[in-house]
Amino acid sequence: MAWRWAAASEIGTSHIRNGDRLQDAYAVSVMRDDCIFAIVSDGAGSAEFGAYGAWLVCRTLTVLFRCWFRDNSNLPSNEVLSDWIDEIRDRVAAISEKKESTPRQFASTLALVVSTPDETLAMHVGDSAVVGRCGEEWEVLCWPENGEYASTTYFVTDDPEPRLNIARYPSKHDAFALFSDGVGDLALSHSEQTASPQFFNPMLRPVDNAPNAGRLPELSAKLRTYLAGPAICERTDDDKTLILISGG
């Protein structure tokens, strides 16, 4: 399958007003000719080093998956995935000690998808999400989770352990979208807990029709402009990250 994608992050207007930086991070990569990998992480706005934590989550899991596929054709087990999350947490703990801080100050969410010809893996912590397209239908692979109180969620750095969700599916999806919570209200129907085809179908059409494989720079630039536009910013003042992947 010739995977192609457009991806962009845009800082939220509330962060601009407060003089903060973009706290979302993401990565997309083809690992082997037949495997697509994508991840989004949203650093907590209340965490001093949330942006660094989000970058570290994306960077570490990208490297770990790439190393895994050098020696393996199958996807890692749930036990291995949990060990990798523990490795991230250990790194955060060591860095926070050097900075005379705490792991909570590196808090970030996680949403990840990896698809091979045999299996699709989705993994998440917190309120980012992953959806997949099968034929004409959109399916939520990772539904965003909020915390006990309003405007709270779960993080990779949560003590004593993160609320890690892992799901596996047959390789039936020909497109995926990953996004941080700043896009969630636009892309999901929370009352029905479904993905909105009215949002995703027109967004994916240019990616589906692109002649080239791999990252699509022009569409990624247009996607960033869209995320920064008034139609989006009037509905959310949070950071916004959206990855659109097509194998069609």
Side-chain angles (χ1 to χ4, degrees):
M1 199 175 275
W3 294 106
R4 60 188 70 85
W5 64 88
S9 276
E10 182 61 27
I11 190 169
T13 53
S14 63
H15 290 188
I16 294 174
R17 288 193 301 269
N18 295 332
D20 296 331
R21 58 175 294 185
L22 175 70
Q23 294 186 317
D24 284 5
Y26 71 89
V28 189
S29 179
V30 173
M31 298 185 176
R32 308 180 327 199
D33 293 337
D34 55 3
C35 174
I36 186 69
F37 165 94
I39 182 171
V40 170
S41 182
D42 178 1
S46 59
E48 182 180 3
F49 304 109
Y52 186 91
W55 175 86
L56 183 65
V57 165
C58 291
R59 174 65 178 168
T60 302
L61 286 172
T62 300
V63 170
L64 288 170
F65 270 98
R66 185 172 290 123
C67 292
W68 173 268
F69 283 122
R70 288 175 186 163
D71 302 316
N72 302 275
S73 59
N74 60 310
L75 287 166
S77 67
N78 289 9
E79 182 179 3
V80 169
L81 295 171
S82 296
D83 288 344
W84 288 354
I85 297 299
D86 286 342
E87 182 173 335
I88 292 172
R89 290 164 59 84
D90 289 343
R91 292 186 184 186
V92 168
I95 294 169
S96 66
E97 185 174 353
K98 289 182 179 179
K99 290 183 174 290
E100 298 182 347
S101 184
T102 65
R104 175 62 182 80
Q105 295 304 317
F106 294 78
S108 61
T109 65
L110 159 67
L112 175 151
V113 68
V114 189
S115 186
T116 73
D118 301 316
E119 186 179 24
T120 293
L121 165 71
M123 181 167 73
H124 90 289
V125 177
D127 54 8
S128 297
V130 181
V131 301
R133 183 182 66 188
C134 183
E136 299 298 320
E137 301 295 324
W138 285 94
E139 178 182 8
V140 179
L141 308 186
C142 289
W143 184 262
E145 287 195 325
N146 296 106
E148 183 178 355
Y149 303 103
S151 301
T152 64
T153 189
Y154 302 104
F155 300 108
V156 173
T157 53
D158 283 351
D159 186 50
E161 61 183 9
R163 190 180 176 96
L164 176 63
N165 297 281
I166 301 172
R168 296 176 186 268
Y169 302 87
S171 287
K172 58 183 181 178
H173 302 94
D174 66 351
F176 300 97
L178 296 82
F179 44 95
S180 60
D181 67 313
V183 178
D185 288 343
L186 309 171
L188 301 173
S189 169
H190 291 272
S191 60
E192 300 177 359
Q193 290 205 340
T194 57
S196 170
Q198 293 81 8
F199 178 83
F200 288 110
N201 286 338
M203 296 292 287
L204 255 296
R205 196 169 296 122
V207 184
D208 285 334
N209 296 331
N212 300 322
R215 181 176 179 269
L216 305 171
E218 184 175 345
L219 287 180
S220 295
K222 290 181 178 179
L223 180 59
R224 183 177 182 185
T225 299
Y226 168 75
L227 293 177
I232 303 299
C233 293
E234 287 173 2
R235 299 186 61 179
T236 176
D237 63 359
D238 199 1
D239 291 343
K240 302 162 288 287
T241 298
L242 177 58
I243 301 173
L244 302 168
I245 302 169
S246 171

